[in-house]
């Protein structure tokens, strides 16, 4: 059995999960990907910790608690659909989130805190997204334009409030595959929706 991996992420509110699940279900038959994400696994990753010792995991949580204690809740909205990988054979299909200074600031604070705790993090630029599917397996080339046209009747912007950061454990043999290990509430006044 593989060792567990951990990451910090922004979870989705239920109405966003329902919407994303509907988008996935609407897309599955015409757009074959190897794995579609379970509705309970939708999230925006802030920092991937990997396989770490219990001591390092405890240190990461202490550092994250310091970050969330000084961060107020904020609103976030979904955006366009996109891909990572080759245009005709993507490895990831995702739903984006609109640019958010509070989200970028939160991710930078989390990143800095984890580096201070001696974690080695991905150095690529932060590209916030919600993974919907992995690994194109279609017998013809994938077309993002075709997918966008197909989804046009149900595409909408979903707005939600980021109130917490979650520590997830990855359980690759299970569905859903991410288990909540801890929740860190953002401290501050609720934003106006």
């Amino acid at each position: 059995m593989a060792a567990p991996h951990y990451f910090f992420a922004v979870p989705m509110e239920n109405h966003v999960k329902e919407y994303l699940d509907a988008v996935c279900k609407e897309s599955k038959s015409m757009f074959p990907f190897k794995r579609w994400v379970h509705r309970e696994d939708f999230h925006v990753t802030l920092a991937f910790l990997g396989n770490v010792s219990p001591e390092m995991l405890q240190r990461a949580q202490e550092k994250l608690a310091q970050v969330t204690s000084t961060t107020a809740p904020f609103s976030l909205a979904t955006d366009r659909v996109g891909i990572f990988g080759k245009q005709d054979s993507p490895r990831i299909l995702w739903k984006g989130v609109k640019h958010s200074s509070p989200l970028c600031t939160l991710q930078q604070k989390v990143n800095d805190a984890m580096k201070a705790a001696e974690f080695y993090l991905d150095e690529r630029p932060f590209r916030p997204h919600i993974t919907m599917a992995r690994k194109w397996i279609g017998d013809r080339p994938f077309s993002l334009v075709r997918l966008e046209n197909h989804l046009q009747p149900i595409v909408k912007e979903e707005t939600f409030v980021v109130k917490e950061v979650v520590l997830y454990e990855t359980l690759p043999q299970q569905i859903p595959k991410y288990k909540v290990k801890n929740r860190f509430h953002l401290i501050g006044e609720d934003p106006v929706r």
Side-chain angles (χ1 to χ4, degrees):
M1 189 168 117
H5 288 74
Y6 301 92
F7 62 96
F8 290 120
V10 169
M12 300 292 106
E13 289 183 352
N14 281 332
H15 70 96
V16 182
K17 290 178 187 178
E18 289 168 10
Y19 166 66
L20 293 170
D21 194 45
V23 170
C24 290
K25 286 178 178 169
E26 182 64 30
S27 306
K28 281 181 185 180
S29 62
M30 287 183 62
F31 299 90
F33 280 82
K34 186 173 183 179
R35 288 184 303 278
W36 288 85
V37 173
H38 187 278
R39 71 182 301 273
E40 294 305 316
D41 286 340
F42 294 126
H43 65 273
V44 176
T45 301
L46 297 173
F48 182 74
L49 306 178
N51 176 16
V52 297
S53 69
E55 297 77 23
M56 286 290 283
L57 191 61
Q58 182 60 36
R59 188 183 317 165
Q61 292 179 83
E62 290 166 3
K63 291 285 188 185
L64 188 73
Q66 293 170 8
V67 169
T68 56
S69 70
T70 61
T71 304
F74 57 92
S75 291
L76 204 54
T78 60
D79 198 8
R80 65 189 179 91
V81 173
I83 59 170
F84 292 141
K86 297 177 183 175
Q87 293 295 312
D88 62 349
S89 181
R91 58 184 172 77
I92 300 287
L93 173 67
W94 50 260
K95 182 77 168 164
V97 293
K98 289 194 170 183
H99 175 75
S100 163
S101 293
L103 177 64
C104 292
T105 300
L106 174 61
Q107 190 275 336
Q108 188 60 57
K109 286 181 179 178
V110 171
N111 200 49
D112 292 346
M114 294 308 109
K115 286 181 178 178
E118 300 179 356
F119 282 89
Y120 298 100
L121 302 180
D122 189 347
E123 295 294 332
R124 289 180 289 188
F126 181 49
R127 294 176 65 184
H129 64 280
I130 305 157
T131 298
M132 296 193 306
R134 292 181 172 86
K135 195 168 188 220
W136 176 254
I137 55 171
D139 55 6
R140 64 179 179 165
F142 174 81
S143 167
L144 186 57
V145 171
R146 197 167 133 254
L147 176 64
E148 289 170 335
N149 290 338
H150 176 74
L151 293 176
Q152 191 62 41
I154 65 167
V155 166
K156 61 180 178 174
E157 177 183 298
E158 286 288 344
T159 302
F160 62 102
V161 178
V162 177
K163 300 176 187 172
E164 65 182 353
V165 173
V166 172
L167 171 64
Y168 285 110
E169 177 181 352
T170 301
L171 303 168
Q173 306 307 317
Q174 297 183 19
I175 298 174
K177 71 186 242 179
Y178 303 130
K179 178 182 175 184
V180 175
K181 294 296 286 181
N182 204 348
R183 296 179 184 275
F184 301 84
H185 298 284
L186 303 184
I187 307 301
E189 295 181 18
D190 284 338
V192 177
R193 279 193 182 240

